[in-house]
Amino acid sequence: MGARMRRLIEFPCAGEMLLGTLDEASGTTGLLIVSGGNEIRIGAHRGMALLAQRVAEAGHPVFRFDRRGIGDSTGENHGFESSADDIAAAAAAFRQAAPHLNRIVAFGNCDAATALAFFHARAGIDALILANPWVIEATDDLPPAAAIRARYAERLRDPHEWIRLLRGGVDIRKLVSGLRKASRGQSQQEGSLAARLAAALGETRIPVTILLAKGDNTAIAFRNAWAGPVFEAARAKGAIENLDTASHSFASAADKQWLFEQILKNLS
């Protein structure tokens, strides 16, 4: 097999210019990768670039991009909730650069997953792979309540943690703050991020696969929200795959292999 082509592509978005990267392949189903947070398209430790290379080698073209105000793209960064234009423009650029495509599957981690749930319809996406979707509305610097409860439950089973507590090795003020927050659930009231995500997933008409890193705080918060009543319609549509890791970005070699296999499964 010859060397695969990787092309840089500049494309317009709401008066700005975005930069994307296309890993070429002959397959008619392509993967659109949307970066989370303020991460550039290469991904943490080149994770998304390496993933794109592997997926292209398996026969599927892959497109990654920097949204406005991130990396090589112009404009101002207003966060994931303002990325509808960016995702739609990237999908259009992908189709133009790879005209043989007849199907686009989109993958995003963290708030990119939530953004895809909100904005995929406008971009004409055909299927979603959402990793560790973001439902956390931060009110302090503590982890989400569901994650705190999970951590405390684990520690209470460990005799060494009781010894640490008795010997004064635990910050009591932090412990009390954590217990107070653990007693509260993530808001699912109308208008909350979790409720809006539930509505978006419940209304979608395309296949949705959700990937969760079981020990990751973001995934723990999502799993807790997923069990709530507002996600009832979404639960009837979305399939969840769990990986026994605490790595939010699926950093280890085994994590990367699992993620690659999950993505290929959804591209076939």
Side-chain angles (χ1 to χ4, degrees):
M1 183 183 296
R4 295 270 169 198
M5 288 291 294
R6 174 171 283 178
R7 287 197 282 143
L8 293 179
I9 296 173
E10 194 175 46
F11 58 97
C13 173
E16 303 294 343
M17 293 303 294
L18 309 189
L19 196 70
T21 303
L22 173 66
D23 285 69
E24 296 184 328
S26 60
T28 57
T29 296
L31 179 68
L32 175 67
I33 297 178
V34 178
S35 297
N38 297 321
E39 198 171 85
I40 61 175
R41 66 188 184 277
I42 197 171
H45 310 291
R46 299 182 64 239
M48 293 302 100
L50 294 172
L51 175 64
Q53 179 181 334
R54 291 190 70 187
V55 172
E57 288 172 350
H60 301 279
V62 184
F63 194 81
R64 299 171 285 121
F65 68 100
D66 294 333
R67 73 166 186 258
R68 284 170 290 174
I70 298 291
D72 294 314
S73 296
T74 67
E76 295 184 7
N77 173 21
H78 293 294
F80 76 97
E81 293 208 59
S82 298
S83 62
D85 288 341
D86 308 71
I87 294 170
F94 192 8
R95 291 188 181 92
Q96 184 174 9
H100 60 289
L101 287 177
N102 58 31
R103 183 169 175 259
I104 293 179
V105 177
F107 165 72
N109 188 19
C110 195
D111 62 20
T114 303
L116 280 170
F118 287 164
F119 307 132
H120 65 276
R122 178 177 162 189
I125 302 300
D126 299 290
L128 294 174
I129 307 171
L130 310 180
N132 307 316
W134 182 259
V135 295
I136 302 166
E137 294 176 286
T139 57
D140 50 44
D141 59 356
L142 292 171
I148 293 173
R149 288 195 294 271
R151 296 288 183 268
Y152 283 168
E154 181 180 352
R155 289 180 177 180
L156 286 172
R157 293 191 292 268
D158 185 352
H160 295 290
E161 290 297 322
W162 287 97
I163 294 171
R164 282 186 66 226
L165 178 63
L166 293 172
R167 290 178 175 174
V170 175
D171 186 331
I172 297 299
R173 283 186 296 180
K174 188 174 181 180
L175 173 63
V176 171
S177 297
L179 289 171
R180 285 175 178 166
K181 185 166 185 178
S183 67
R184 303 191 301 267
Q186 186 77 28
S187 173
Q188 295 195 5
Q189 294 180 350
E190 184 177 355
S192 70
L193 183 58
R196 288 186 288 128
L197 178 58
L201 292 176
E203 293 168 3
T204 189
R205 298 182 179 181
I206 65 173
V208 178
T209 298
I210 298 170
L211 308 179
L212 298 181
K214 288 175 66 176
D216 169 57
N217 284 346
T218 303
I220 291 170
F222 174 80
R223 189 181 298 108
N224 181 68
W226 179 260
V230 297
F231 278 89
E232 183 176 359
R235 287 196 296 271
K237 298 180 178 181
I240 289 186
E241 301 289 344
N242 292 285
L243 178 64
D244 190 10
T245 181
S247 175
H248 181 71
S249 59
F250 305 98
S252 74
D255 291 355
K256 285 182 171 65
Q257 179 62 28
W258 180 84
L259 178 62
F260 172 67
E261 290 171 358
Q262 293 297 321
I263 285 175
L264 277 195
K265 191 187 332 181
N266 282 274
L267 290 169
S268 58

